[in-house]
């Protein structure tokens, strides 16, 4: 079964989510979910809900402004995104911090979607495999639980540029061959839309998508799920 997760980033109101839910119907053959801002984690959805980030601190405590994996789980999250490029490259999160957050999420009983991906500079130097392998090895959580990998080339996120299908296939095969876990699920992310979903899925080793911009529209997200059914 393919997996299609949306990432709403810093978008969405309760009203917008209600409208989205009214226009979306889950497909039995696709594992779907949405990573929502923390303000929406307690909403009802017929698909899985995930937090876009969790605190480096565990459970509860005097950490003003932080949201722990435990608190996210309490209100309904069943998954957490860890190491999204907007946090790694935009906010300077290190591999060790991402690892700590992922371990907290697993200990709280959340499924982890661990994001990795190279910058354009690294790709142009042909060093993407070594770069992604280091990210994976240094941020891989040492805890029991389910970890899914999302490969998202940084230069393809929110830019309308997608990686070449052959390059996506090569990277997914490379990650599978690292043997980080049995039957590892690897999603592709970066400007996925209803128009390019089928083409990207033709690459071997693509188990689904992490969709940003296009997940905000229920009809787009539904069409991507439909493509994942075929
Ligand atoms: P995008 O974002 O689909 O808007 O490129 C993907 C992501 O950030 O996960």
């Amino acid at each position: 079964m393919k997996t299609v997760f949306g990432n709403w980033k810093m978008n969405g109101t309760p009203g917008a989510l209600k409208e989205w839910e009214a226009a979306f119907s889950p497909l039995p053959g696709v594992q779907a979910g949405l990573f929502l801002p923390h303000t929406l984690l307690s909403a009802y959805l017929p698909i899985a809900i995930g937090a876009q980030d969790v605190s480096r601190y565990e459970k509860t405590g005097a950490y003003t402004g932080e949201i722990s994996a435990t608190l996210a789980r309490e209100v309904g999250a069943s998954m957490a995104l860890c190491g999204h490029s907007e946090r790694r490259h935009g906010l300077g999160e290190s591999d060790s911090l991402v690892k700590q957050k992922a371990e907290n999420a697993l200990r709280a009983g959340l499924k982890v979607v661990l994001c990795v991906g190279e910058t354009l500079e690294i790709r142009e130097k042909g060093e993407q495999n070594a770069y992604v392998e280091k990210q994976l090895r240094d941020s891989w959580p040492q805890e029991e639980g389910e970890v899914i990998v999302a490969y998202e080339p940084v230069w393809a996120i929110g830019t309308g540029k997608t990686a070449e299908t052959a390059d996506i296939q090569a990277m997914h095969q490379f990650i599978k061959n690292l043997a980080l876990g049995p039957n590892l699920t690897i999603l592709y992310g970066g400007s996925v839309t209803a128009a390019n979903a089928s083409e990207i899925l033709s690459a071997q080793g693509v188990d689904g998508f992490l969709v940003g911009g296009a997940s905000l529209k229920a009809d787009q997200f539904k069409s991507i799920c439909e493509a994942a059914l075929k």
Side-chain angles (χ1 to χ4, degrees):
M1 190 190 302
K2 297 279 191 271
T3 299
V4 181
F5 290 151
N7 174 13
W8 274 26
K9 310 191 179 186
M10 200 172 71
N11 295 291
T13 58
L17 186 60
K18 266 209 177 76
E19 271 174 36
W20 190 98
E21 194 231 319
F24 177 77
S25 24
L27 298 174
V30 175
Q31 177 182 217
L34 276 189
F35 289 94
L36 294 170
H38 288 128
T39 47
L40 295 176
L41 290 182
S42 60
Y44 165 78
L45 269 191
I47 55 176
I49 291 181
Q52 296 169 14
D53 181 41
V54 295
S55 177
R56 72 188 74 187
Y57 305 112
E58 239 190 303
K59 298 188 180 165
T60 56
Y63 303 112
T64 304
E66 291 290 293
I67 310 279
S68 68
T70 309
L71 292 185
R73 168 88 204 219
E74 277 299 315
V75 292
S78 59
M79 354 183 251
L81 213 51
C82 295
H84 189 279
S85 83
E86 284 151 16
R87 302 202 65 88
R88 286 181 185 271
H89 299 281
L91 297 168
E93 289 197 359
S94 64
D95 287 326
S96 64
L97 177 57
V98 173
K99 178 179 179 176
Q100 197 179 343
K101 290 181 169 192
E103 289 178 347
N104 285 348
L106 291 174
R107 276 197 290 270
L110 301 179
K111 178 190 297 193
V112 164
V113 177
L114 182 65
C115 304
V116 292
E118 79 285 358
T119 58
L120 188 56
E121 196 191 345
I122 298 287
R123 162 108 1 216
E124 281 171 351
K125 284 199 267 181
E127 292 170 359
Q128 64 275 4
N129 288 4
Y131 185 86
V132 167
E133 178 172 2
K134 184 169 173 14
Q135 279 187 320
L136 281 168
R137 295 211 185 274
D138 292 354
S139 55
W140 194 264
Q142 301 301 314
E143 277 294 331
E144 286 295 304
E146 189 180 350
V147 182
I148 289 177
V149 169
Y151 167 59
E152 303 196 289
V154 176
W155 46 274
I157 295 178
T159 57
K161 291 183 198 149
T162 45
E164 297 290 329
T165 309
D167 291 338
I168 297 172
Q169 179 163 317
M171 181 57 84
H172 281 236
Q173 285 313 132
F174 174 74
I175 296 172
K176 284 217 173 50
N177 289 340
L178 295 176
L180 294 157
N183 306 316
L184 182 65
T185 296
I186 309 174
L187 311 179
Y188 172 79
S191 299
V192 174
T193 63
N196 61 23
S198 300
E199 163 66 22
I200 299 171
L201 276 172
S202 70
Q204 265 174 29
V206 175
D207 301 313
F209 298 120
L210 181 57
V211 185
S215 71
L216 289 165
K217 299 216 166 66
D219 58 337
Q220 277 269 337
F221 190 72
K222 207 163 129 189
S223 302
I224 295 169
C225 289
E226 279 159 7
L229 249 193
K230 289 173 198 148

